Amino acid sequence: MGCCSGRCMLILLCCVQLITAVERQVFDFLGYQWAPIMVNFFHIIMVILGLFGAVQYRSRYVVTYLLWMFVWIGWNVFVSCLYLDLGGLSKDSHILSLGVSSHSSWWKNNGPGCYSQSLPSDRWQDHQNPKLTTVLSCWLEYQYIEVLHCSTQLLVSLLGVVYSCYVVSIFSEEESYYK
């Protein structure tokens, strides 16, 4: 009973991680965030591996998933610090786009309640600069949406660590029992 409930919970967590990773992947694609796209692809592969390990009673795959969760937690802490401008990191840098494009988070211009408000353009000397003639107003700024994504990933990943440790210990007990 204990193994089944822990295993089922790990399977459920892997499914939730896959859904949230795909959702995050879509918005990283829309924002041309190349580093997160690559890391998210790898994350999806590792979560599928963990899911396979939980379904097939393969402790090696679950341990690999567990180790990846620590890397994933570190990545999400890094991205959170980047968007919150902590530790010398800046959300305005091109770290996540790998310097290939000048795009930033898709949420920057398309967040909840975002709308452009035109300003009187006769005040500005440079009429060619759209940044000076419009102001973007959002209900929730993009960096906080990104941090919420990371927080969700962190919460699910921490639960994944707990349940994968539990499942690995149960699998080990069962293997030693049958030897």
Side-chain angles (χ1 to χ4, degrees), residues 11-160:
I11 291 169
L12 177 67
L13 284 170
C14 285
C15 291
V16 169
Q17 279 187 322
L18 285 173
I19 291 167
T20 58
V22 168
E23 181 264 342
R24 189 174 183 181
Q25 186 76 323
V26 167
F27 291 110
D28 287 340
F29 267 119
L30 292 172
Y32 300 100
Q33 302 291 307
W34 302 115
I37 289 169
M38 291 186 295
V39 175
N40 285 340
F41 271 131
F42 196 65
H43 176 64
I44 291 168
I45 291 167
M46 297 307 277
V47 171
I48 290 171
L49 193 65
L51 183 63
F52 176 76
V55 169
Q56 295 293 321
Y57 294 93
R58 310 272 189 199
S59 60
R60 284 186 190 165
Y61 295 133
V62 177
V63 169
T64 304
Y65 165 81
L66 173 64
L67 295 174
W68 171 252
M69 283 300 99
F70 290 117
V71 173
W72 186 245
I73 288 168
W75 170 257
N76 281 289
V77 168
F78 166 75
V79 172
S80 294
C81 290
L82 182 78
Y83 279 111
L84 293 174
D85 294 332
L86 298 174
L89 298 169
S90 172
K91 65 183 167 284
D92 296 324
S93 68
H94 296 290
I95 293 173
L96 297 181
S97 65
L98 299 176
V100 181
S101 67
S102 62
H103 293 86
S104 60
S105 171
W106 180 83
W107 294 105
K108 189 171 187 174
N109 298 324
N110 301 295
C114 285
Y115 63 92
S116 294
Q117 179 181 10
S118 296
L119 297 175
S121 60
D122 57 347
R123 291 180 160 174
W124 306 107
Q125 298 295 329
D126 184 10
H127 295 289
Q128 301 299 322
N129 192 344
K131 292 180 185 174
L132 296 177
T133 59
T134 60
V135 173
L136 190 64
S137 176
C138 295
W139 175 74
L140 185 63
E141 292 183 37
Y142 76 97
Q143 65 264 26
Y144 302 120
I145 295 172
E146 293 288 356
V147 171
L148 285 172
H149 274 116
C150 290
S151 300
T152 303
Q153 292 290 330
L154 285 168
L155 177 66
V156 175
S157 297
L158 289 172
L159 288 172

